[in-house]
């Protein structure tokens, strides 16, 4: 029964991923993200204009069956199609599994009751956060820009998450208001979620604001600052600190590799949203484990 539920969640998520692909491919930096005119109209091959039939619109499967090519003109299709569909499915099926083990199994109070409505809202909000991060990553890779609408959406989702955690934190305790779990206490003297998330917002904004000001916009742009503000609010303090540290370490590696492979030179801009998002995701899934591993490395 449970397995069936997660399989259905994956299929639903893959279909959502299919829609996100439309959103990503039809986006232009000059227009708005949610443009009804551009989003309307049937899906077609971007090379020959062939309108896709029902069998060509099955997430992941169609791409695999057609060998990654258009059925009519034979032109190769972007790997982004199946990748975003798969990640959409993985988010819908995998994130609830992770969050259940993070929130529910750690709570004594939860075990006795059926899961309350607000818990589903919390999981739903996190699913949408991850979908927003996915769309941002794909759009920044293509256009070197992060649409304002997505950062705004993140802030709104942050409000939902903070509202729920602040209202029901007593059921999520101990140490489930931060993905660093008990290590939160080491870094943050504050425990009120409203306070920690506002400090996360201020931390993300000031760190990236200073970086962009010092580098005069080379390397990083205003969109990255807005993302750091929005994600700082969603993740809260001290999670955002670990997330940005991981992003800088990963960013360093990625830049060196791209320069060595001569894909980029030192002067080129590298889209930073995908690297930031990787830092966020690693913090959510492995935050406590990473801090724990770091301490054990120094036998603390
Ligand atoms: Zn075609």
């Amino acid at each position: 029964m449970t397995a069936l539920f997660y399989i259905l969640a994956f299929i639903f998520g893959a279909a959502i991923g299919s829609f996100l692909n439309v959103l990503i491919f039809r986006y232009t930096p000059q227009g708005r993200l949610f443009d009804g005119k551009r989003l309307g109209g049937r899906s077609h091959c971007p090379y020959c204009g062939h309108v896709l039939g029902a069998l060509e619109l099955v997430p992941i499967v169609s791409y695999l069956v057609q060998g990654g090519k258009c059925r009519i003109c034979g032109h190769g299709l972007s790997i982004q199609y199946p990748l975003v569909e798969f990640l959409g499915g993985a988010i819908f099926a995998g994130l609830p599994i992770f969050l259940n083990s993070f929130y529910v199994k750690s709570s004594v109070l939860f075990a006795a009751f059926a899961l309350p409505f607000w818990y589903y809202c919390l999981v739903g909000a996190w699913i949408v956060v991850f979908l927003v991060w996915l769309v941002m990553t794909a759009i920044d890779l293509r256009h070197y820009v992060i649409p304002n609408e997505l950062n705004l959406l993140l802030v709104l989702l942050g409000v939902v998450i903070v509202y729920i955690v602040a209202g029901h934190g007593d059921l999520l305790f101990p140490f489930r208001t931060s993905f660093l779990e008990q290590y939160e206490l080491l870094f943050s003297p504050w425990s009120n979620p409203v306070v920690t998330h506002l400090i996360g917002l201020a931390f993300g904004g000031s760190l990236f604001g200073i970086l962009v000001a010092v580098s005069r916009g080379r390397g990083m742009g205003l969109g990255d600052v807005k993302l750091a503000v929005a994600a700082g609010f969603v993740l809260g303090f001290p999670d955002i600190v670990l997330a940005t540290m991981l992003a800088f370490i990963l960013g360093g590696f990625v830049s060196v590799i791209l320069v060595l492979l001569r894909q980029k030179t030192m002067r080129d801009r590298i889209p930073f949203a995908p690297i930031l998002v990787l830092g966020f995701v690693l913090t959510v899934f492995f935050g406590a484990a990473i801090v724990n591993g770091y301490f054990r490395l120094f036998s603390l």
Side-chain angles (χ1 to χ4, degrees):
M1 177 60 208
T2 333
L4 180 68
F5 171 81
Y6 287 113
I7 291 167
L8 290 175
F10 183 89
I11 294 169
F12 180 75
I16 296 287
S18 189
F19 166 74
L20 296 182
N21 269 324
V22 174
L23 206 61
I24 295 160
F25 278 112
R26 297 189 186 178
Y27 173 77
T28 58
Q30 294 78 29
R32 285 176 295 121
L33 181 66
F34 302 103
D35 184 335
K37 238 183 256 163
R38 200 167 333 108
L39 292 178
R42 310 258 318 260
S43 289
H44 54 265
C45 168
Y47 304 102
C48 68
H50 158 66
V51 174
L52 303 184
L55 284 176
E56 291 163 287
L57 287 168
V58 185
I60 308 171
V61 179
S62 294
Y63 186 92
L64 295 178
V65 169
Q66 291 167 213
K69 293 190 189 87
C70 169
R71 200 170 55 85
I72 302 300
C73 70
H75 202 293
L77 297 170
S78 169
I79 186 75
Q80 188 198 301
Y81 287 105
L83 206 57
V84 168
E85 287 160 356
F86 175 79
L87 288 171
I91 288 169
F92 268 85
L95 204 54
I97 294 177
F98 167 76
L99 291 176
N100 287 349
S101 74
F102 181 75
Y103 288 126
V104 181
K105 283 195 189 135
S106 65
S107 171
V108 187
L109 282 163
F110 262 161
F113 304 100
L115 292 174
F117 176 70
W118 60 261
Y119 178 75
Y120 291 100
C121 296
L122 182 61
V123 173
W126 275 113
I127 287 175
V128 183
V129 166
F130 271 65
L131 295 178
V132 169
W133 285 344
L134 174 60
V135 173
M136 269 179 179
T137 298
I139 288 183
D140 199 27
L141 282 171
R142 288 188 165 269
H143 299 290
Y144 296 84
V145 71
I146 305 170
N148 281 328
E149 293 97 321
L150 292 177
N151 280 325
L152 195 65
L153 198 55
L154 272 189
V155 174
L156 294 176
L157 290 161
V159 172
V160 174
I161 290 169
V162 172
Y163 180 79
I164 294 173
V165 173
H168 305 278
D170 47 339
L171 289 172
L172 299 176
F173 286 156
F175 313 125
R176 287 300 187 277
T177 49
S178 160
F179 290 109
L180 305 191
E181 300 177 18
Q182 70 273 26
Y183 295 107
E184 179 193 18
L185 296 180
L186 283 178
F187 304 105
S188 172
W190 309 280
S191 59
N192 184 332
V194 178
V195 176
T196 57
H197 284 257
L198 284 175
I199 292 173
L201 178 152
F203 175 87
S206 45
L207 177 66
F208 278 74
I210 291 167
L211 283 173
V212 169
V214 168
S215 68
R216 296 205 190 100
R218 282 171 308 187
M220 258 176 252
L222 212 54
D224 296 313
V225 182
K226 291 177 197 165
L227 173 54
V229 167
F233 184 53
V234 169
L235 288 171
F237 183 89
D239 300 34
I240 185 66
V241 181
L242 177 68
T244 44
M245 276 172 59
L246 290 172
F248 287 127
I249 295 168
L250 292 166
F253 276 118
V254 171
S255 312
V256 169
I257 290 167
L258 288 177
V259 169
L260 286 178
L261 292 174
R262 294 172 194 276
Q263 294 290 313
K264 300 264 178 194
T265 69
M266 291 301 282
R267 286 168 175 282
D268 280 334
R269 249 197 95 192
I270 289 168
F272 204 60
I275 296 164
L276 264 177
V277 166
L278 201 54
F280 303 153
V281 172
L282 287 174
T283 301
V284 170
F285 289 133
F286 306 111
I290 290 169
V291 177
N292 182 277
Y294 182 80
F295 282 152
R296 285 170 61 166
L297 203 61
F298 295 100
S299 316
L300 291 172

